Amino acid sequence: MSEPIFVTQSLVPDAAEYTAHIMRILSSRRLTNIGDYAVTLENELRASLGIPHFLVCANGTLSLQLALHAAKLQGREVITTPFSYVASVSALLWEGCTPVFGDIDEETLCLDPHGLEDLYTEKTAGILPVHIYGNACDVEGIAAFAEAAGLATVYDAAQTFGCIYNDRSLLSYGDFATVSFHATKVFHTVEGGGVACNTDEAHKELQLLRAFGHVGDEHYTLGINAKLTEPHAAMGLCLLHRVADNIAGRKKISRMYDALFPARGLRKPRLREGLEYNYAYYPVIFGNFPAATRWCWSIWATSCRNWGARARPWKPT
Ligand SMILES: *Cc1c(COP(=O)(O)O)cnc(C)c1O
């Protein structure tokens, strides 16, 4: 039997290091509510990202929802891309927004700012572009349009941890940018995420929204629970110092694929110039569509047959 090859595997900390943190958390009996570990992780992330207004959250999806909320986009029309993970759109729908889909750039696979003009109406309130696969959107083009039209920009930067664009963290672009620290991402806290913003006011608002809208006994606004717990923050502190190595290892493997994969018919998205990539993914584009479609179709048909044979209606026992 040969060894299985995994498409993705979560990075795990040194067991003794993580256990020591857990023992300390247990004896402190402070398990959540933005305790020492969450505060320390938040400070370390602010320093390493160079973003003073950065908050950790329970996951990337809630981070996106808090950002949409703080950007005052609830219930409004937001231009976005369909080419993303489902959470980009589900966050919009959960906030009662109407997503308006723009096309993507054929080369970078990110929202094409040239299409924004045609989609814009008087109802448009914001833009939610996605730095897909960690590639950088045309942040200059999007910012120019957003500024001229008076639109708020919330980037779904879930996949970008470690990406630097023009000497700044990719998370520092836009009015808000959100990141995911899910176990499958380059850096993670098992479940977790964060929001970056630019102003003290937005920072305070996000802090309130993250913790039910109250501070002590004073209730200020309608909030939700999006706090990162202490055991999750401890995971982040164990893994943060390994991110650079992780990215360097991914880069090496990615270069190996570049050298080994047959170039014919396989295209890679063009990374934006000025981007230091995190090698989170290795996306490929099939040039030969009929062949690629046939291949996908046959896999799909096979898996449907297998599913049909195994599927049973689910009943609670
Ligand atoms: C991972 C991901 C999310 C969701 O993040 P969670 O932390 O899993 O909630 C949202 N958008 C994109 C593009 C992602 O890759």
Side-chain angles (χ1 to χ4, degrees):
M1 268 266 287
S2 52
E3 285 280 307
I5 297 174
F6 295 95
V7 172
T8 186
Q9 264 190 318
S10 296
L11 194 64
V12 289
D14 177 76
E17 186 188 354
Y18 187 59
T19 309
H21 288 305
I22 293 299
M23 298 308 278
R24 202 176 313 154
I25 291 167
L26 293 180
S27 62
S28 79
R29 295 190 179 236
R30 171 99 193 229
L31 306 183
T32 187
N33 284 359
I34 312 297
D36 287 346
Y37 277 89
V39 168
T40 307
L41 178 64
E42 207 162 68
N43 286 333
E44 295 217 356
L45 287 168
R46 282 173 192 161
S48 67
L49 296 169
I51 301 175
H53 297 301
F54 183 84
L55 290 169
V56 293
C57 291
N59 59 59
T61 308
L62 274 169
S63 303
L64 204 45
Q65 289 183 224
L66 296 193
L68 290 169
H69 221 83
K72 313 269 182 281
L73 292 176
Q74 310 115 267
R76 307 186 67 189
E77 242 180 57
V78 177
I79 299 173
T80 189
T81 161
F83 194 69
S84 182
Y85 180 56
V86 66
S88 312
V89 167
S90 62
L92 282 168
L93 295 176
W94 202 272
E95 291 301 319
C97 303
T98 305
V100 175
F101 292 118
D103 212 344
I104 53 173
D105 181 283
E106 217 180 307
E107 303 237 290
T108 65
L109 310 184
C110 294
L111 186 66
D112 185 354
H114 298 104
L116 295 175
E117 189 78 56
D118 289 343
L119 298 170
Y120 178 82
T121 70
E122 68 217 6
K123 286 204 253 165
T124 311
I127 313 179
L128 194 163
V130 180
H131 297 302
I132 196 71
Y133 303 122
N135 196 5
C137 291
D138 179 353
V139 289
E140 297 85 3
I142 290 167
F145 186 86
E147 264 165 49
L151 302 177
T153 311
V154 176
Y155 277 101
D156 182 344
Q159 305 175 341
T160 71
F161 195 83
C163 288
I164 313 280
Y165 178 66
N166 283 348
D167 300 323
R168 271 165 53 191
S169 164
L170 194 48
L171 277 163
S172 68
Y173 294 85
D175 297 313
F176 296 86
T178 65
V179 64
S180 165
F181 299 150
H182 182 256
T184 52
K185 302 310 207 251
V186 165
F187 164 72
H188 75 87
T189 59
V190 187
E191 291 277 357
V195 192
C197 63
N198 298 323
T199 66
D200 286 337
E201 196 194 347
H203 183 115
K204 280 198 193 118
E205 170 91 5
L206 288 166
Q207 235 165 353
L208 274 176
L209 293 174
R210 178 176 68 175
F212 303 103
H214 69 79
V215 179
D217 291 336
E218 286 301 321
H219 199 279
Y220 297 93
T221 187
L222 175 67
I224 198 165
N225 181 3
K227 290 173 276 128
L228 188 72
T229 77
E230 293 293 271
H232 289 99
M235 177 67 78
L237 284 168
C238 289
L239 296 180
L240 192 55
H241 59 87
R242 289 179 44 195
V243 172
D245 269 357
N246 183 19
I247 290 177
R250 286 166 176 273
K251 183 173 179 175
K252 230 160 116 184
I253 293 169
S254 180
R255 289 280 145 86
M256 203 166 74
Y257 290 166
D258 289 346
L260 293 177
F261 282 1
R264 191 142 31 108
L266 269 190
R267 189 156 64 84
K268 285 174 68 182
R270 180 175 56 82
L271 292 179
R272 240 182 117 64
E273 212 169 300
L275 177 72
E276 270 177 60
Y277 190 45
N278 65 1
Y279 299 89
Y281 304 91
Y282 192 92
V284 292
I285 304 165
F286 290 94
N288 183 349
F289 261 117
T293 315
R294 262 201 306 279
W295 183 70
C296 292
W297 174 255
S298 84
I299 290 186
W300 185 75
T302 311
S303 58
C304 282
R305 266 201 303 280
N306 293 342
W307 172 251
R310 273 184 285 113
R312 297 278 179 279
W314 184 81
K315 279 203 215 90
T317 47

